[in-house]
Amino acid sequence: MTFAASMLAHSLTLAPGGGGDAAHASLADAPIVAATADPSLAWMGWVLALPAISAVLCALCAAFRVKNKLPAICTVLALGSAFALVLKLYLARGPGAAPVTVHLWDWMNFGWGGGPWKSFQADVSLYIDSLTLLWMLFVTGLGTLIALYASEYMEAERGPGYARFFFGVSVFLLAMSALVMADNLVLLYFGWEGVGLASYLLIGFYYRKPSAVAAAKKAFIMNRVGDLGLAVGIWLIWVNYGTVEFGALFQAFDDAARGVGGWDRSLIPFCLMLGAFGKSAQLPLFTWLPDAMEGPTPVSALIHAATMVTAGVYLIARMQPLFSLHPDAMATVGWIGALTALLAATIGMAQYDIKRVFAYSTISQLGYMFMGLGVGTAFGAAYHVFTHAFFKALLFLTAGAVMHGFAGQLDLRHLSGLRRVPGFRIVSWTMLIGCLWLSAFPYSAGFFSKDLILVQAMSSPRFQMLGWIGLGTAALTAYYTFRVWFRVCAGPVAYAPGDEDHGHDDPAHDAHGHAAHGDDAHGHDDHGGAFHPHAPRLAINSVLLLICAGAILAGVPGIQALRGEQNWVQEMVSNSSAVRAAGVDHVTEPVAFGMDPHKLVTVFGTGACLGGIAIALWIHLLDRRMADRLRTALLSNGLTRWLPTSMENKWYVDELYHALFRLPAWVTSHLLHFFDRHFIDGLLVNGLGRVPVAMGRLFQPLYNGALQGYAGTMAGGLVLVLAWVAWKWLGATGGAA
Amino acid sequence: MNPLGLIVLPVIGAAAAALGPARWAKWTAFVASLAVFALSVVVAVQFPEWRTGNYWPNTNEGGALKAFGVNMLLGGDSVNMLLLLLTTFMMPLTLAGSFTAVTEREREYYGWFMLLEAALMLAFLSRDLILFFVGYEFTLVPMYFLISIWGGQQRRAAAIKFFIFTFMGSIFTLAAAIYVAARAADASGAWDFSIAGLTKFGSESLSNREQFWVFLGLMAGFAIKTPVFPVHTWLPLAHDQAPTGGSVILAAVLLKLGTYGVYRLALPMAPAGAVELATFFGVLGVLAILVTAMVCWVQTDAKKLIAYSSVSHMGFVVMGLFAFNPIGMQGSVMYMVCHGLSTGALFLCIGMMYERFHTKEMDAMSGLARHMPIWSTFMVIFTLASVGLPGLNGFVGEFLCLMGTFVAEHDQPAGYPGVMGPWFAVVAGVGLILGAMYLLLLLGKIVWGPLKVPGAHDDPHEHAHGDKGHGGLPRDLSFREIAILVPIAAACLGIGVYPKIMLDVTEPSAANALVAFPEKVNAWNAAHGKTAPAKVALQAQEVSR
């Protein structure tokens, strides 16, 4: 086993250009190393236990109405320790160690004979390979940093609300760790729904806002649609392979690869896919993510940008041995990803709320990741997850700092020149880094990771179309990203404060009523004109700088890959179950315009990025009225009016879903309710109940109104008759039957 | 220990509560029910057959009605023990939950409650059909009075409907059971009503056609009790009108009598009939899950919403029972217990809210998280348990019931063929989405949102009252109320995190209940042209090819 692993590592070291053709040959049927049980790693259970303990402590803080920052301290310490444990394991194992399983305790585990198909085993045990560690490192690392950021960001909520927030964050980290480290699909499902719960609780954090409550509900329900797909996938897997544990499954997939699968077997990846699309906000289940921006911004950064939404990518990367058996499923993943990327980018171009722009960019970037998975480079997808986690968290945190400082103002039309506002320098410049990375500026981390995916797409004639969609989307991405930066951070200093407090959870506010709302307790909401932005302080600024440094460093593996060196991310992916998609097998012949895929993507990608930025520079900084003129021109023309209208209205997808699903369900429900009350209960049940009364009237004029007596008599008589009939009939025919 | 004490003690408690001074009644009953709980824990600890599926104790032959074949056979297997513990666990909590809600005719109220517990104990402990029936039917009487005396506006109608509806069904059940006993007496020459004997005779000696009718007869009562769609209409009315305590016990324990009856009597006694009718009941289960879930979604009354959700949830149990494999079977036993905990607790929560506001209309209130944070916390926990969130109790049962249904195909490799299969599970699985829709609607309307307290505008001096709100109750939960909900919440979390204990103990019992099935299912499938070999064999061939 270790021999196989070292052979593999050896072959990868020799591979040129991001694991080129030579690597491809060895990867296509590279063995998936079998996992061994390693009880000595039981301390990894603390990675689950620490957030759980922190959640309990936060709940206690809420119960005892702790008014200081204790919940934040507990959470940051717990998450930091969890990160330290993951790091410790990573350093002890190195990137190339064989996968291990760690059994913690029996969970849903019973049998009727033992072995595949004769037992159901879903324990709380961990499956740790390099893919797990790759995910865990950035989940716990960013989790810690964002909790630290939130300790300052959420300080206006100190009291039960503050504790509730950090309870949610702790629950999220618990569930996300379980999802990533699960050694079976049912525990993964636990994490899957657990992160959904955390997301529900945190999106609805400002629960007095009906829009936040609606958004939380929408997120949970849309995710449930995906979860049903995941559940069906799990059942199908059990029926077909007799187990739900990854270790055994990966071996079973290998055996299955030699046999023919029935239709239900080829349905499995599509079911899992539905789950992934729900969690990762892809078509057709993407509309919950923009609404999820109702949550506090650190939540948007952590859950709805960096970590939770990548769970779908993780699931497909983890189940790569299964997906690689089904080319149609892979192609579907790729196409859904590409189309989502394009659609979300077009919506993002027309939004005015900074967080919404970033939310659509998240959906779009997730689309790239799925495109990467679909075209066959889990390496590219995982690398994009990794770089995206940093730069998108950074962007959201800067947006949060702006929101925090300007009393909830997020409309990019009402903010300008922030880089010259005292105290917002760090915010502006780190946001610039985030924007450059998001728009895949040459030699940024985002450039490298997107490059890998597009090169892989361009290399296959089947997927070349996806590559072009990706390049087109890259231009849109650069445009809408820099639309935000040029509007908000560049240009003359001008701003208007928002009208939103942070949804106080402090009962004292209620006593004063809403009259006190105008002169908010923070003192930064004076509409009189003497508004002073509330500049971020140490915790926020230092976290911004740290994550910015992380975003920059995330480019190192990309540079290595470019120079044909072995790089860290690829090594991690190639030592996991996704080994067969751990490279980028780009062809060296020209595919279009006389260029090979690598050159093609570099040239066109750079062009798209610079072109997008240039247009944004022109119409959003140099001549800002140009953007409005353009919009007015489009709107005044009957032929083009639909374009800005539908982009601003998110292509009416919400309205479409409302008309297609919610409204019919609502009408049907009312009809069923009517049917239940008036037909089943009213006509059948009550009607039958009146029969004895009527019979009583008929046979007994001295009717005394005791309904029970009649019903009882009637029923008794009925039964006697029926029993007699049955007895006779069975006596005549039953003996022989 | 002789489990007879578990029946006698509540009767003594009932007498003491009913005959003692009125102001002591609640404490008498509460202490008695605690004593019953303690006794049941002792019995459970002593119970030696947790892992074997055997019955215990096995010796109590004899009794006054011996001549008629009725034996004083008491005892049970692990599933009886679980339901017993569920009953004795919920009972003191329910009684404590009635302390402030019931202020009139307290002696009768607590007396009836203790009699109800005695009847439930008898039903869950009987190994004789007639005794089971006595307990099963006798639960109607206390419940009838609990609804009709302490209920809401339409309490009389609700109580009568509850009584007649379930009583009519159980007459058919009794008729079917007596038919089996009569046939057995014909064969052996002596009357014997022991469940084990009748089960053996029924499954082995009755013809398929007889089993069909026997099963239908038995199900007539049990389906109404469960309740299965479309004979569920007594339940929303009864829940809506019953006092909180009545609703809690109705949802937590009484409904389980129906599914327990299916599990213990109907399925083992007439397996061929069960197989014949499995598709029918499977369809009813799916309809229950989907139709009542959608009906839930348009309710305006919080208590009615939860009442309908009970019907929807019991649909999962029905699916699991008719899957005929250990996954579904154990899942449905899990779900019986878990539904008892989470739905019972939800009714308690709604009752606590009702005591404060005297309304259950969801539109009349909003954003109570601000007004009653502790109550809201519990409400969220139990709602999530009810939604089936993994890590809480509801998930294990729901997931296993659906999975059992999913794998219940004629050619599935688990060794337990079934007649339903993936489509049943996938369509029923839509219930997972609908469940989230209506339960989160409930949370969204009353727990979250801008603060609106019912009746607050009538009372401009509300703040002058300080923390004391309505009816002498504090604004948020009192210590007593928290102490009621905490044990249930702990049980929900405990089962969710470590369901292994329950899965282990239900394993042998489920295997016993299923012993006749693979053969009957195969015969039925063969008769219906489904003769494909099991999938494993198929795959083995493919690999070798």
CSV table of all heavy atoms in Angstrom, one decimal, chain A residues 34 108 137 153 276 320 430 499 702 713:
chain,number,residue,atom,x,y,z
A,34,ALA,N,-6.3,1.8,-0.1
A,34,ALA,CA,-7.3,1.4,0.9
A,34,ALA,C,-7.0,2.0,2.2
A,34,ALA,O,-5.8,2.2,2.6
A,34,ALA,CB,-7.3,-0.1,1.0
A,108,MET,N,-25.5,4.9,13.8
A,108,MET,CA,-26.6,4.1,13.2
A,108,MET,C,-26.0,2.8,12.7
A,108,MET,O,-25.5,2.8,11.6
A,108,MET,CB,-27.3,4.9,12.1
A,108,MET,CG,-28.2,6.0,12.6
A,108,MET,SD,-28.7,7.2,11.4
A,108,MET,CE,-29.9,6.3,10.5
A,137,LEU,N,-8.1,22.1,6.7
A,137,LEU,CA,-7.1,23.2,7.0
A,137,LEU,C,-7.7,24.6,6.8
A,137,LEU,O,-7.7,25.5,7.6
A,137,LEU,CB,-5.8,23.0,6.2
A,137,LEU,CG,-4.9,22.0,6.7
A,137,LEU,CD1,-3.8,21.7,5.7
A,137,LEU,CD2,-4.3,22.5,8.1
A,153,TYR,N,-16.9,42.7,15.0
A,153,TYR,CA,-18.0,43.1,14.1
A,153,TYR,C,-19.3,43.0,14.8
A,153,TYR,O,-20.2,43.8,14.7
A,153,TYR,CB,-18.0,42.2,12.9
A,153,TYR,CG,-19.0,42.5,11.9
A,153,TYR,CD1,-18.7,43.5,10.9
A,153,TYR,CD2,-20.3,42.0,11.9
A,153,TYR,CE1,-19.7,43.8,9.9
A,153,TYR,CE2,-21.3,42.3,11.0
A,153,TYR,CZ,-20.9,43.2,10.0
A,153,TYR,OH,-21.9,43.6,9.0
A,276,ALA,N,-25.4,18.2,-4.1
A,276,ALA,CA,-24.3,19.1,-4.2
A,276,ALA,C,-24.8,20.4,-4.8
A,276,ALA,O,-24.4,21.5,-4.3
A,276,ALA,CB,-23.3,18.5,-5.2
A,320,GLN,N,-15.3,11.0,-6.4
A,320,GLN,CA,-14.7,10.9,-7.7
A,320,GLN,C,-14.7,9.5,-8.3
A,320,GLN,O,-15.0,9.3,-9.5
A,320,GLN,CB,-13.4,11.6,-7.7
A,320,GLN,CG,-12.6,11.7,-9.0
A,320,GLN,CD,-13.4,12.6,-10.0
A,320,GLN,OE1,-13.9,13.6,-9.5
A,320,GLN,NE2,-13.3,12.3,-11.2
A,430,THR,N,-7.1,46.0,0.7
A,430,THR,CA,-7.3,44.5,0.8
A,430,THR,C,-8.4,44.2,-0.2
A,430,THR,O,-8.4,43.1,-0.8
A,430,THR,CB,-7.5,44.0,2.2
A,430,THR,OG1,-8.5,44.8,2.8
A,430,THR,CG2,-6.3,44.0,3.0
A,499,ASP,N,-29.4,53.1,6.8
A,499,ASP,CA,-30.4,53.4,7.8
A,499,ASP,C,-30.7,52.2,8.7
A,499,ASP,O,-31.7,52.1,9.3
A,499,ASP,CB,-31.7,53.8,7.1
A,499,ASP,CG,-32.2,52.8,6.1
A,499,ASP,OD1,-31.4,51.8,5.9
A,499,ASP,OD2,-33.2,53.0,5.5
A,702,LEU,N,-88.8,7.1,19.9
A,702,LEU,CA,-88.4,7.7,21.2
A,702,LEU,C,-86.9,7.9,21.2
A,702,LEU,O,-86.2,7.4,22.1
A,702,LEU,CB,-88.8,6.8,22.4
A,702,LEU,CG,-90.3,6.6,22.6
A,702,LEU,CD1,-90.6,5.5,23.6
A,702,LEU,CD2,-90.9,8.0,23.1
A,713,THR,N,-74.4,0.5,18.7
A,713,THR,CA,-75.3,-0.6,18.3
A,713,THR,C,-75.1,-0.9,16.8
A,713,THR,O,-75.0,-2.0,16.4
A,713,THR,CB,-76.8,-0.1,18.5
A,713,THR,OG1,-76.8,0.5,19.7
A,713,THR,CG2,-77.7,-1.3,18.5
